[in-house]
Amino acid sequence: MTVSDTKLPPSFITQVVQDDIAADVHGGKVLTRFPPEPNGYLHIGHARSIWLNFGIAEMFGGECNLRFDDTNPEKEEQEYVDAIKEDVSWLGYQWAGDVRYASDYFDRFHEWALYLIKAGKAYVCHLTAEQASEYRGWATKPGKESPYRQRSVEENLELFEKMRLGEFAEGECVLRAKIDMTSPNMNMRDPILYRIRKASHHQTGDKWCIYPSYDFAHGQEDAIEGVTHSICTLEFRDHRPLYDWFIENLPVPSRPRQYEMGRLNLSYTVTSKRKLKRLVDENIVAGWNDPRMPTISGMRRRGFTPSSLRKFCEMVPVSDKNNSDVDLAILERAIRDDLNESAARAMCVMEPLKVTILNFPEGEVETMTAPCHPNKPEMGERKLSFTREIYIERDDFNEDSSLSRKKFKRLVLGEWVRLRSAYIIKAEEVVKNEQGEIVEIKATLVPDTVGADAPEGVRPRGVIHWVSASQCAEIEVRKYDRLFRTESPDRAEGEFSDQINPESLKIMKGYLELDAANAEPETHFQFEREGYFVADQYDHSAETPVFNMTIGLKDTWSSKE
Ligand code: ATP
Ligand code: MG
C-alpha cells in the first residue's frame, strides 16, 4: 500500500470496520473492493469510492481489489478497462494481486444457478417483460406468482440448459429466483438471475449467451474474493435483503456484508457515465479526457493532482443517510490549496505590451534569480533573463497618472513599478500606432534596485510580472472554465447539453520564462498573478509548449453570481 499512514475521517463505515475487527467478525481481516463497470471512464464520484475503499483497506491494514463488474456484455470495452486501471494507479492506489473480472466467475455463477434450481429456488419464466412487470405489482400492491413458477426441477434444468445453448431468443425467457411475490420489498419478488444476451463479451467472447443480473453476481463476486465490507451507494439499500438471501442460500466460501453510503454529486457538472458519454459522442467535448470533463483522466489533464482529489474526498463527510451535493467551489479550493503548496512559480505574460528600457544596453542579458516558491527554499531558485525589451501585461499599464495609488497598483505614465524579482522601472513615454493604440512604453530602470529597497523619492505603485521579449517562449495557453453554466445541469429545463458554458475553452498565446516552457508534460506551475497551469500531458513539448489553465488564483464564480 502506498499511503500507509492513511487515516480517514471517522464515519459510520470506519466505525463498522473498527467494531468488526474488535469483534473478530471476519477473522480480523479487512478486504474491500472497487467494482467499476467498464462502460465509461471514471469520474469524480468514482474517485470518492476509490478513496473510501482503498482508504479503509489502508487504514485497517487490509487490502482492496480492483474488480471489473463486466456482467453486461454490450456496453463494455477494453479501452475503458485500460483507462480505469490507469486512473486508479494515478490516484496512488495499488490493488491486491491481479485485476479481477466478474466474468472470471461466470462458470461458478452458472453452477450456483443450477444449485438454486435443484433446491427448488429458481425457475425459468416465460412471461414477457410487460407481463412480468404486471405480475410484479408495485410497492403497495403485492405481486402475483408467475404461471411458470411451479415447473419441476427437471424441466427447469432442461430449459435453463436450452437457454445456455442459445436455443431461445433474447427476451423469450429468464431464470428467476423463487422468493416471495408478496414481499413489501420489490427486489424480493422473484428477481431475475439470468437473461439471454446474444452478444460477444470482451473477456469471454462467445462462450456465453446468458448473463447474470447485477444482483445475482455482485454479492457472489464479493464472497468468492473474500471481501469483508462491500460498500455501494444508497440506491442499493433495498437490494441488501436480496444480497443476503443469495449469500444464505448458496454454498459461498465467505460471508461478505453490504454497506451503503451517499453518492457524491458535484454542482456545475454531471456525474453519470451515460451523460458523460453523450458529451463525448456528440463532440461537445474533445474526448473522455477533455480537461473540462469531471472524469479522473480529464481532471488529471486539467492539472488536478492525486493529493488534491484525496483532500477533496476528505472534506466531504461520508454519510449512510444522504447523498452529498457538493459545490464545485470546494473541489476548486482543494486544488488551489494543493498547488499553492507544491507548484513552482513562473512568470507568463498573456496580453503582451512591449517595454523598452532606455538605459539598458541593447543585446545584453542580465541574469537574476528568483525563488521557485516564496515559502519553500528547498524548491530552489530559477534564473530570469533581463533584456532591454521586455513584455508586461497590457492591463498593467495605464496612461492616466491621476488614477489613485490605491486603486491602480501597477504602472502609470511618469511613475514607478517594481518588476517582480528585478528592477524598479519608470514609464517615461508612450508610443502609439496610427489607430491611437498603445504599442510600446519607453521606460528607464532605477539602478541597484534588484533585490534592494527603492531609493529615496522613488515610490513604486506595486509589483508586476514580466518576461524578457527575446528570452521567453511563445506558448499556447488553453484557458478552461466550467463546462456547464448552470448549477444543476441535470435538473435544468431542456437538454442538459444546452446548459454548456460557451466560454469554457479559450485558446490564447502566452510568453513564458524559458525554463518553465521546457518543463516535462504534467509539470505544474503557478503563473504569478494569473493562476495555476500545467504542461499538457499529450500536446506539450519543448518545441511546441502547451499549457492548460487548471484554476485561477481566486474563486471568480462566487463573485460573478
Ligand atoms: P454511473 O452512474 O456514473 O454509471 P455507476 O454506479 O453505475 O455510476 P459503476 O462503474 O458501477 O458506476 O461504479 C463503480 C463504483 O463506484 C460503485 O461501487 C459505485 O457505487 C461507485 N460510485 C459511482 N458513482 C459514485 C458517486 N457519484 N459517488 C460515490 N460512489 C460512486
Ligand atoms: Mg453501476
Side-chain angles (χ1 to χ4, degrees):
M1 292 274 145
T2 37
V3 201
S4 52
D5 54 352
T6 309
K7 226 177 158 60
L8 300 187
S11 65
F12 82 93
I13 189 71
T14 56
Q15 192 61 50
V16 163
V17 176
Q18 201 172 316
D19 293 347
D20 283 354
I21 291 175
D24 208 25
V25 175
H26 302 277
K29 240 184 64 182
V30 176
L31 181 67
T32 53
R33 88 287 171 261
F34 173 62
E37 185 179 351
N39 60 347
Y41 281 52
L42 299 181
H43 53 62
I44 183 74
H46 295 114
R48 167 81 162 170
S49 174
I50 293 169
W51 165 79
L52 188 65
N53 280 296
F54 282 89
I56 291 278
E58 289 172 359
M59 182 169 172
F60 294 101
E63 289 194 295
C64 182
N65 288 350
L66 173 60
R67 180 207 307 149
F68 289 102
D69 221 335
D70 58 352
T71 50
N72 185 352
E74 275 132 22
K75 290 179 280 176
E76 295 157 359
E77 286 178 32
Q78 189 60 39
E79 177 196 348
Y80 298 141
V81 168
D82 296 339
I84 290 169
K85 289 200 281 193
E86 169 86 17
D87 287 347
V88 174
S89 302
W90 177 75
L91 282 172
Y93 297 108
Q94 174 72 59
W95 51 86
D98 292 335
V99 168
R100 303 162 201 246
Y101 294 89
S103 55
D104 288 344
Y105 314 136
F106 280 175
D107 284 318
R108 199 99 61 106
F109 295 159
H110 179 246
E111 280 165 29
W112 283 339
L114 296 174
Y115 181 93
L116 287 180
I117 294 175
K118 288 177 193 158
K121 292 175 185 169
Y123 62 99
V124 173
C125 181
H126 277 78
L127 289 180
T128 63
E130 206 175 305
Q131 290 169 328
S133 114
E134 203 190 301
Y135 271 76
R136 250 181 119 213
W138 50 85
T140 51
K141 182 178 184 260
K144 278 189 304 188
E145 294 189 352
S146 158
Y148 306 101
R149 202 177 198 256
Q150 298 309 331
R151 280 176 159 157
S152 68
V153 168
E154 290 66 37
E155 194 184 356
N156 279 316
L157 286 174
E158 195 179 308
L159 290 169
F160 186 50
E161 180 63 0
K162 281 189 171 172
M163 278 174 69
R164 188 182 72 82
L165 294 172
E167 293 179 19
F168 293 113
E170 282 192 15
E172 209 178 329
C173 50
V174 295
L175 184 72
R176 296 174 71 176
K178 198 188 278 186
I179 306 181
D180 180 3
M181 288 307 289
T182 63
S183 169
N185 184 335
M186 300 283 286
N187 294 302
M188 302 300 273
R189 296 184 187 173
D190 291 9
I192 293 175
L193 307 183
Y194 267 93
R195 286 185 182 84
I196 300 168
R197 284 262 185 286
K198 300 201 167 163
S200 276
H201 187 282
H202 70 102
Q203 294 292 322
T204 55
D206 293 323
K207 176 169 176 194
W208 298 94
C209 65
I210 51 171
Y211 290 94
S213 62
Y214 173 90
D215 286 320
F216 187 59
H218 204 92
Q220 285 79 284
E221 295 159 20
D222 290 338
I224 290 170
E225 294 176 6
V227 166
T228 54
H229 300 83
S230 178
I231 305 167
C232 60
T233 43
L234 285 178
E235 320 85 90
F236 290 97
R237 179 153 293 166
D238 286 349
H239 293 243
R240 199 201 305 168
L242 182 54
Y243 183 104
D244 291 339
W245 190 90
F246 289 127
I247 299 297
E248 275 153 28
N249 286 279
L250 288 170
V252 290
S254 79
R255 309 201 118 235
R257 287 201 52 187
Q258 174 184 300
Y259 300 90
E260 307 88 19
M261 62 144 183
R263 200 171 251 279
L264 176 81
N265 302 317
L266 258 193
S267 65
Y268 294 96
T269 190
V270 292
T271 44
S272 138
K273 279 183 279 189
R274 192 174 51 81
K275 289 181 177 164
L276 294 174
K277 187 165 187 317
R278 277 189 52 196
L279 293 172
V280 175
D281 292 345
E282 294 171 23
N283 294 317
I284 295 169
V285 294
W288 284 98
N289 63 8
D290 184 299
R292 292 165 295 183
M293 292 280 270
T295 51
I296 296 176
S297 53
M299 290 189 289
R300 172 180 180 176
R301 196 166 175 195
R302 173 79 171 259
F304 281 77
T305 56
S307 57
S308 67
L309 295 178
R310 278 206 293 266
K311 277 183 209 144
F312 167 69
C313 288
E314 273 167 32
M315 287 193 262
V316 182
V318 176
S319 166
D320 59 348
K321 304 214 164 44
N322 304 304
N323 290 335
S324 309
D325 292 322
V326 181
D327 189 343
L328 183 56
I330 303 208
L331 176 62
E332 293 174 343
R333 195 174 318 139
I335 184 63
R336 212 177 264 124
D337 290 350
D338 188 70
L339 292 176
N340 185 33
E341 287 294 307
S342 63
R345 273 45 175 176
M347 291 191 284
C348 181
V349 173
M350 306 281 178
E351 311 257 8
L353 175 60
K354 186 166 91 176
V355 178
T356 304
I357 314 289
L358 300 171
N359 56 346
F360 193 88
E362 213 157 327
E364 194 166 305
V365 179
E366 180 180 339
T367 305
M368 35 200 73
T369 57
C372 291
H373 193 289
N375 325 318
K376 296 203 161 175
E378 67 276 18
M379 285 177 70
E381 291 191 320
R382 63 193 211 265
K383 292 208 174 338
L384 302 176
S385 302
F386 191 84
T387 51
R388 182 175 164 92
E389 289 187 349
I390 62 168
Y391 293 139
I392 64 169
E393 249 8 286
R394 201 154 267 280
D395 276 357
D396 283 342
F397 175 76
N398 203 302
E399 248 183 305
D400 182 1
S401 52
S402 71
L403 280 172
S404 86
R405 289 181 70 88
K406 249 206 172 121
K407 253 178 131 178
F408 195 75
K409 295 182 178 165
R410 311 172 192 187
L411 186 61
V412 300
L413 191 57
E415 290 193 40
W416 298 269
V417 82
R418 178 178 288 281
L419 299 173
R420 171 85 89 192
S421 303
Y423 291 103
I424 293 171
I425 60 166
K426 182 181 182 193
E428 307 280 1
E429 193 188 323
V430 174
V431 184
K432 293 186 179 173
N433 64 13
E434 279 155 21
Q435 287 79 46
E437 296 157 347
I438 300 174
V439 292
E440 184 186 347
I441 309 294
K442 294 193 188 296
T444 50
L445 62 75
V446 183
D448 306 322
T449 48
V450 180
D453 289 342
E456 277 282 314
V458 172
R459 289 183 64 212
R461 281 185 172 230
V463 183
I464 62 172
H465 62 279
W466 60 280
V467 289
S468 153
S470 57
Q471 307 292 309
C472 75
E474 186 181 300
I475 64 169
E476 178 175 318
V477 176
R478 298 175 182 167
K479 277 199 169 177
Y480 293 102
D481 200 348
R482 296 179 176 182
L483 182 55
F484 291 97
R485 53 186 170 182
T486 43
E487 195 173 328
S488 310
D490 275 328
R491 273 172 251 156
E493 295 225 347
E495 276 292 296
F496 83 97
S497 49
D498 295 342
Q499 314 303 320
I500 297 289
N501 172 10
E503 314 243 291
S504 62
L505 170 60
K506 280 187 206 150
I507 297 182
M508 51 204 291
K509 276 184 187 158
Y511 300 86
L512 176 63
E513 290 173 25
L514 281 180
D515 286 347
N518 282 329
E520 293 293 315
E522 299 200 86
T523 308
H524 302 270
F525 289 98
Q526 184 198 89
F527 290 172
E528 298 196 52
R529 300 175 67 226
E530 292 287 341
Y532 297 98
F533 291 75
V534 67
D536 189 75
Q537 191 181 356
Y538 302 105
D539 299 340
H540 170 85
S541 69
E543 293 74 46
T544 52
V546 178
F547 283 81
N548 300 327
M549 172 149 134
T550 308
I551 190 81
L553 287 181
K554 290 203 193 80
D555 179 0
T556 51
W557 275 78
S558 4
S559 51
K560 255 188 225 173
E561 284 146 348

